[in-house]
Amino acid sequence: MTRASATKTYNLAAYMEEHTKYLEARQKVITDTGKEIHSYLKASNEVLKVSKGAPAWRAYVEYMNGILVSGIADTVVASLAHLLSQIDPSLIEAGGKSPFFDVKLDLNPLAKGDDAVFFQPPLDGPPDAPSVMGYVHQIMSDFYNVVKLIKRLDRTEGDFLKEMEENEAVRFNVHRIIDECEHNQEVCREYKKPFLKHKNLWAKEIQATLLQFLEEEGTVKPEKDGKPNEGEEGASSSDKALPSLPGFDKRITELKDIALEIKEMENSTSEGWLKIDAKPIKTALGKTATQWTDSHTAYLRDYVDSTMSDLQGFISRVQAGLAEEVEEGDSEKLIEAMTYVRDVRLASDRIDGIFEPLKGTIGLLKKFGIVTPDETVETLENIPFSWENTKKQTYNKREVLGPLQSMQQDRVRQDTDIFRTSVTEFMANFKRSEEH
């Protein structure tokens, strides 16, 4: 194997492409050298004119084959030792080397569990999938393949694989390499833990968790049989009660602190022979943390906007409805006007207490850097006066409607008496007809 610079950290896939090209050149040299050795052995036999079956010649071939085995073993050991020098932390530090390969730490929020935080490429995995350990095994396999490039001298079939597997130096280096890789995997998995601490950011559904928070804070207004509470229709089409501003303040502050903690995490680190690029997971977690914060501030913005819109609409409807003249005897107009009076009476306490929480909500949004439009702020300043005028208009209208309501009651009573009399006469006539 080769490494052009001890201070360069390689992308694994890119390095393997470079390794393959270098390997092809080296394998050609080894193959050609093996052919030369066989050629020299053949030439020696021809010069000496010795039978290939002669004991002396067979002993010589065994001797030369032993040298060849030793040379191949030295080649494999040298390659394995060089690989070990690139991944052994003590040798890396002693040689002033940079990490050999880089990996990225990223987030897959769809995974929900701890496996949502993953390395790319993976540290380990199935043989048919790219992984750090898979690449290491491939490199070691490439070293072993040298045994297939040179034909044996002592027989026409077979290779030197058995000798390499039994070689102590080869076995020692393979064991060391695997041991260092497994240890490095454990260290890298430990590096994931601070990110896993924020598991709730991707494991929980934002809107479902927000709804649970609102219920715990008593913010969501309960409904009866899926319908708004009686008497509040027209006053507000929103299903949101007054937000718990201290609760929102605490929750948003916590989310902001989490986002800041993620931002201050290191962008990369070196764990032995691997350099871990943490920017992908930091970006993903930061984005997710922002989505959580935005969901809470958006609720507050929507609360202000919807409450203001509903209140303006309610005031406009009431003022327009009460401005309608009610003529004597127009029961439909009278009922409509009395309905507006009733709605104002029922909504009065709630609306009287809504203006300060609205101002507090705008102030809380400002604390977290969200500016409410000037038009909304100005409307909030003026709408209490409109509401007071509406209540006065309602009071005055009730005074006007009082006599009309009494007259309507008298008329209903008279109609009831007339109906009762007609029913009595009908029953009497029916009985007389039955007697005859």
Side-chain angles (χ1 to χ4, degrees), residues 129-328:
S131 68
V132 174
M133 198 65 187
Y135 284 129
V136 171
H137 278 294
Q138 182 179 335
I139 291 173
M140 290 195 295
S141 177
D142 290 337
F143 296 159
Y144 270 95
N145 281 340
V146 68
V147 302
K148 300 177 182 179
L149 302 177
I150 301 177
K151 294 181 179 181
R152 300 184 66 93
L153 297 177
D154 56 348
R155 57 179 181 267
T156 57
E157 300 295 333
D159 54 34
F160 300 97
L161 182 59
K162 185 175 182 295
E163 286 85 349
M164 293 306 105
E165 291 176 343
E166 294 175 350
N167 185 281
E168 288 296 328
V170 170
R171 294 172 63 182
F172 171 79
N173 281 278
V174 170
H175 174 77
R176 281 290 316 281
I177 290 170
I178 293 177
D179 186 60
E180 290 295 344
C181 288
E182 290 177 347
H183 175 71
N184 181 261
Q185 288 178 17
E186 291 301 317
V187 174
C188 289
R189 291 189 181 102
E190 284 294 316
Y191 181 76
K192 290 170 55 175
K193 289 185 176 180
F195 298 97
L196 291 172
K197 184 179 74 171
H198 303 296
K199 180 178 177 179
N200 284 342
L201 289 179
W202 69 81
K204 292 187 176 181
E205 295 291 340
I206 295 178
Q207 292 305 317
T209 307
L210 174 59
L211 180 58
Q212 181 182 355
F213 165 76
L214 295 174
E215 291 173 347
E216 292 171 352
E217 294 292 327
T219 299
V220 176
K221 190 165 48 175
E223 296 182 350
K224 298 178 181 178
D225 301 325
K227 299 178 180 179
N229 293 334
E230 183 179 356
E232 294 190 7
E233 56 184 359
S236 175
S237 63
S238 172
D239 63 351
K240 299 175 182 177
L242 297 176
S244 168
L245 296 184
F248 268 91
D249 190 357
K250 179 182 177 181
R251 182 61 174 150
I252 295 174
T253 299
E254 290 173 351
L255 292 170
K256 289 282 189 180
D257 289 343
I258 290 173
L260 180 60
E261 181 180 340
I262 293 169
K263 183 179 180 181
E264 291 178 346
M265 287 179 168
E266 55 191 2
N267 289 327
S268 64
T269 189
S270 296
E271 298 292 354
W273 60 291
L274 293 181
K275 180 178 180 180
I276 302 174
D277 179 6
K279 291 192 291 293
I281 192 171
K282 284 186 60 180
T283 300
L285 279 177
K287 181 179 178 181
T288 305
T290 299
Q291 291 172 343
W292 277 85
T293 303
D294 289 349
S295 70
H296 288 69
T297 56
Y299 179 90
L300 295 178
R301 289 200 312 270
D302 291 344
Y303 166 75
V304 172
D305 293 341
S306 62
T307 302
M308 293 290 291
S309 176
D310 291 340
L311 185 53
Q312 285 179 296
F314 179 58
I315 291 174
S316 297
R317 287 195 304 276
V318 170
Q319 289 181 344
L322 295 180
E324 294 283 340
E325 292 292 334
V326 180
E327 301 292 338
E328 182 180 342

